[in-house]
Amino acid sequence: MKRYFSPAIAIAVGLLVLAGYFFENSSVALIRQTFVQWAVFLAAGAIIVGVLNLFLVHLYKIIRKDKERVYSLFLLTALLFTLVYGFMNKPSDLVMVNIFNAVILPVEASLMAVMAVTLLYAAIRLLRHRPNSMSVIFLVTAVIVMLGTAPLPFYQLPLFADTIRPFIITVLATSAARGILIGVALGTLLTGLRVLIGAERPYGGK
Amino acid sequence: MSLTALAGIILVAFSTVLLLGLFLLKDRVKASFRDIPAFTNFKKSIGTAVEQGTRVHFSLGAADVTRERTTASFIGLSTLRQITEQTAASDHPPITSSGNAALAVLSQDNLQTAYHAVGMDEQYHPSSGRVTGLTPFSYAAGTLSMIADESVSSSLLVGGFGVEIGLLTEAVERQDAFTLSAADSLPAQALVYASAKEPLIGEELYAMGAYLNTGRTHLVSLYVQDVLRWLIVLILLGGAAMKLLAGVV
């Protein structure tokens, strides 16, 4: 029964949402809005399932006495503390705000910094992985754009900041980006259509 | 109705007719692909993973399922199902990581369906489909440890990623594992191009199903995508020519 029931619901709701997108000032648009709100609500509900999944995976690691179980223990302790404290107090509570500003924010910023180093390392390795003309163009373009963007201590390099970099950004990069984005948009459209005709079933079931 | 909406309806209707029409033509539509080494190498890496008893890891990104960006993750999900069916008998079945809870639920559902399809329901474990973090960078941080700890020899990073994909490709490279990376956003694609051995750029991501034989609709869909691309090229050239002529006359 599920085999037919799930695709039927997905196709019907998908068609209504799509119709609501095109006919903005109609009752279908209101139905679309309601369905999207339901989807947001369900996605929020899924977060509880997701957190439970995260909890169980790390609990299992501790029970199994995995090599890295100390990190799992730390994660579970922090999770339970913030969960209980968050339920007992408002999100605007000073401790909650500090947890966000002094822990989560700096950790994510540090990961971003690590990313910058990683990217530099990847750029150095690029010619070893793929020694071809496209890699050379990629690296040369990156260097030219950086030379035109980065503030230099004594003087600005002539031509780079005012002519070459703007030309690359506004003409070459923008036209290439549009080409890539048109391809991505067509792929997105066709994937959506496959879901609408029931040929693609990301929700499981054969 | 606005002109944009009308154009949208025409595009959707035309694509649907073309998709269904080509699908009904069955075997008259023959497959002819240009060579993309990433897909050939990915197939080889799956074989190696089964032989060596190592894992295949799927990373589905952190895109919200209520947004259009999640279609990239849908490609990852359909590939996940197909590869799981192929590798179900392996000692270490595939694992998935997601940065969105709803996406993790979908990955679990697809894993379960795949095991059921090959009659190996007992191989399914809910912890195979994991949420590793709920913000892009926490997701990346959680996935890094997963790649390092779970004897992963092949990683498929396909979905709605941002710049955090750079950390993941780097982690896979450090493990000396195979990685096939594709993302829908431009910054992520630039990072993937620089850091991954086998990157997919632009619409190559959406050709994955056709190249990996996920289903006939994927092949037909690729044909429709090509037809639409040529139509857009013609429209752009026609528009440019008309504008040029209007300037001259």
Side-chain angles (χ1 to χ4, degrees):
Chain A
M1 193 63 187
K2 188 193 165 193
R3 185 179 173 181
Y4 302 104
F5 200 57
S6 308
I9 292 174
I11 293 167
V13 172
L15 285 173
L16 279 168
V17 170
L18 186 68
Y21 182 77
F22 290 131
F23 302 99
E24 280 178 2
N25 300 316
S26 63
S27 53
V28 193
L30 288 174
I31 295 173
R32 171 188 163 241
Q33 210 176 351
T34 310
F35 279 143
V36 171
Q37 280 170 354
W38 285 3
V40 171
F41 187 71
L42 281 173
I47 290 177
I48 298 169
V49 180
V51 172
L52 194 66
N53 173 279
L54 190 74
F55 186 88
L56 290 174
V57 164
H58 285 275
L59 186 68
Y60 188 56
K61 276 186 176 183
I62 295 167
I63 293 169
R64 219 173 40 191
K65 292 183 178 168
D66 270 13
K67 196 171 61 180
E68 310 284 347
R69 63 183 179 278
V70 65
Y71 298 114
S72 298
L73 188 66
F74 191 72
L75 185 138
L76 292 190
T77 313
L79 176 68
L80 286 174
F81 171 75
T82 45
L83 193 72
V84 173
Y85 195 86
F87 271 127
M88 287 166 64
N89 300 281
K90 288 178 184 173
S92 56
D93 181 80
L94 192 65
V95 176
M96 290 302 284
V97 173
N98 280 339
I99 286 172
F100 186 78
N101 288 337
V103 181
I104 297 172
L105 216 61
V107 167
E108 297 226 347
S110 316
L111 280 169
M112 192 75 178
V114 170
M115 247 280 310
V117 179
T118 304
L119 190 56
L120 183 70
Y121 179 57
I124 294 165
R125 273 188 332 192
L126 180 62
L127 286 176
R128 206 176 62 199
H129 281 329
R130 282 194 301 276
N132 57 29
S133 55
M134 291 312 289
S135 302
V136 175
I137 293 171
F138 183 87
L139 287 177
V140 169
T141 311
V143 170
I144 290 172
V145 171
M146 275 192 281
L147 281 174
T149 311
L152 297 171
F154 304 110
Y155 69 103
Q156 285 294 324
L157 288 171
L159 286 176
F160 278 91
D162 53 9
T163 311
I164 301 174
R165 181 185 164 273
F167 176 73
I168 290 174
I169 299 282
T170 55
V171 180
L172 301 180
T174 307
S175 51
R178 279 182 186 160
I180 290 174
L181 287 176
I182 287 172
V184 170
L186 289 178
T188 304
L189 170 73
L190 266 302
T191 308
L193 284 179
R194 284 204 303 272
V195 175
L196 275 183
I197 62 170
E200 178 117 11
R201 297 179 186 181
Y203 38 84
K206 277 278 175 191
Chain B
M1 187 194 294
S2 70
L3 202 63
T4 317
L6 187 66
I9 289 175
I10 292 169
L11 182 67
V12 169
F14 179 71
S15 310
T16 312
V17 169
L18 212 57
L19 190 67
L20 291 173
L22 285 172
F23 186 74
L24 293 174
L25 279 175
K26 298 273 178 191
D27 297 332
R28 285 186 203 170
V29 180
K30 297 284 180 195
S32 97
F33 301 119
R34 73 181 163 90
D35 183 42
I36 299 179
F39 292 122
T40 319
N41 294 337
F42 177 62
K43 283 179 193 169
K44 279 182 197 165
S45 80
I46 298 298
T48 312
V50 174
E51 279 170 20
Q52 292 178 343
T54 49
R55 272 191 209 282
V56 181
H57 164 240
F58 288 80
S59 212
L60 302 170
D64 189 347
V65 288
T66 57
R67 304 274 172 204
E68 65 275 8
R69 281 191 65 198
T70 201
T71 53
S73 304
F74 286 176
I75 303 294
L77 283 172
S78 56
T79 314
L80 164 72
R81 194 190 299 193
Q82 194 209 6
I83 300 299
T84 306
E85 284 179 16
Q86 288 173 7
T87 60
S90 169
D91 293 340
H92 289 90
I95 45 168
T96 70
S97 57
S98 314
N100 180 277
L103 209 51
V105 174
L106 290 176
S107 71
Q108 289 172 355
D109 206 13
N110 276 279
L111 283 167
Q112 202 168 16
T113 305
Y115 286 122
H116 183 70
V118 291
M120 301 184 81
D121 296 70
E122 71 285 351
Q123 281 279 66
Y124 170 72
H125 196 275
S127 69
S128 308
R130 299 179 195 170
V131 181
T132 50
L134 292 170
T135 61
F137 275 102
S138 65
Y139 157 62
T143 308
L144 292 181
S145 62
M146 198 169 164
I147 292 167
D149 299 344
E150 302 277 357
S151 61
V152 170
S153 70
S154 181
S155 250
L156 186 88
L157 313 175
V158 174
F161 287 96
V163 289
E164 73 280 0
I165 197 170
L167 291 171
L168 301 180
T169 50
E170 177 60 25
V172 180
E173 297 282 325
R174 273 175 192 271
Q175 293 294 313
D176 207 22
F178 174 85
T179 169
L180 177 67
S181 313
D184 56 346
S185 77
L186 287 173
Q189 286 184 32
L191 272 163
V192 159
Y193 185 81
S195 58
K197 273 184 194 159
E198 304 288 358
L200 294 178
I201 302 298
E203 72 274 14
E204 286 175 352
L205 155 68
Y206 297 94
M208 189 174 284
Y211 274 82
L212 299 177
N213 302 319
T214 307
R216 191 178 156 67
T217 41
H218 286 263
L219 174 68
V220 173
S221 169
L222 193 60
Y223 275 102
V224 179
Q225 215 172 305
D226 283 342
V227 171
L228 290 175
R229 191 187 302 110
W230 279 111
L231 275 177
I232 288 172
V233 168
L234 289 175
I235 290 168
L236 285 174
L237 286 175
M242 281 163 76
K243 202 165 182 179
L244 197 72
L245 284 174
V248 171
V249 178

